[in-house]
Each structure stands twice: as C-alpha cells, then as structure tokens.
Amino acid sequence: TLAAWHHAQWGHLYSHWTYEVCLAELDEHASRSNGLPTTLLALEGDELLGSVSLVLEDAPELQEHGSPWLASLYVKPEARGRGVGAQLARAAVARAAAEGVEELFLFTPEHREFYARLGWRPLGRTALKGTPVDLMCIAPADAAADAGAAPRHAGEAA
C-alpha cells in the first residue's frame, strides 16, 4: 500500500524510481530495528493513515546540500486535516535526534509553509525534474527539545 501511495505521489520526480524500487526500499526500512534509512508509520488501530521516511539520499541532484533527508511524508486523503502529517514530521525529527543527526534536510514542491510552522528553515528554491521545489533544514536535537518529543520507531503509530 505504501509503495503504491509513494510511487503515485512522487514517481514523476525520479527517473529510476519504479514501483518495484520503491517497494524494495520500504522492505529494507522495515527490516531495520534502528539506524537509517527507516520509515515511520501512522496507524489508527490496524488502519494505515500515512508514513514518513528518513533516508541518506533523497535525490542525487540535491545531495550536495547534505544528508540525511526527511522524505515521503504522506497521509492518505481521508485522514488529512487531522494533524497526522505534523505528528509524522515531528516523530521523524525526534527519531533523527535520537540517531544523533545534527542537521536534517527536505525538499517540498508545495508544502513550504507547513514545514515552516514545524520549525524548518528555508535554504532556497531549485528544480527537480522540472518541478520547482523548496529546500529546507532543521536541527533535530533543538526541535525535539523544543517539542519535548520522544522518538518513535518504525511501525509505531505517530
């Protein structure tokens, strides 16, 4: 389900990122008990609401900006507007802090204001496969301390 959601949402930004590649990446994340890369899930009972990943490389063209990256924040349409995305983003930042990440990066084609409200700082704009994107960063230890957040592990509800 996640691979289908992710590929439908972002597949156009990556020439090599087929559904099969996406599925293999998520399988690798699920097999890890700690460290990066990883994917955190938002669950309501047994229902999957969304996910977010922490990856070492999100787009090769952007790697010069740093690593690791918050990637693939997705909330299914029926669950949007309930704060699930913010919970997932905060849980990912807290997990990055627990992993000792000093600076975390992301790019977003359309949600700059959302991330800014969560404490992310703009780094500038660029394009990825012809799509304009905003680059942003955050210091996870500072953000986690400000939020009083506890890290969540892959598979736990955010």
Side-chain angles (χ1 to χ4, degrees):
T1 299
L2 280 181
W5 288 350
H6 290 189
H7 189 260
Q9 186 72 32
W10 299 291
H12 70 283
L13 296 175
Y14 306 97
S15 56
H16 73 285
W17 204 51
T18 64
Y19 167 81
E20 291 76 16
V21 169
C22 181
L23 182 60
E25 288 175 359
L26 290 168
D27 283 344
E28 178 196 349
H29 296 188
S31 70
R32 301 173 68 83
S33 60
N34 58 22
L36 303 180
T38 192
T39 295
L40 308 180
L41 306 177
L43 301 168
E44 188 171 71
D46 290 337
E47 181 184 3
L48 179 62
L49 301 180
S51 68
V52 65
S53 296
L54 292 170
V55 297
L56 299 176
E57 178 182 283
D58 197 5
E61 305 91 323
L62 303 177
Q63 200 60 23
E64 68 190 49
H65 297 283
S67 179
W69 294 76
L70 181 142
S72 304
L73 174 59
Y74 185 87
V75 176
K76 73 179 188 174
E78 305 83 42
R80 293 178 186 166
R82 297 176 19 199
V84 174
Q87 290 176 342
L88 281 165
R90 287 184 184 109
V93 170
R95 177 67 180 268
E99 294 289 339
V101 171
E102 292 183 21
E103 197 164 33
L104 185 61
F105 300 88
L106 67 76
F107 73 85
T108 179
E110 56 191 332
H111 298 294
R112 182 175 56 94
E113 292 81 16
F114 167 79
Y115 289 108
R117 285 193 304 272
L118 297 176
W120 290 78
R121 298 180 318 276
L123 293 175
R125 276 183 77 70
T126 190
L128 187 59
K129 299 288 188 240
T131 300
V133 296
D134 287 288
L135 299 172
M136 303 182 83
C137 68
I138 197 167
D142 295 343
D146 290 345
R152 301 199 182 255
H153 300 282
E156 286 187 7

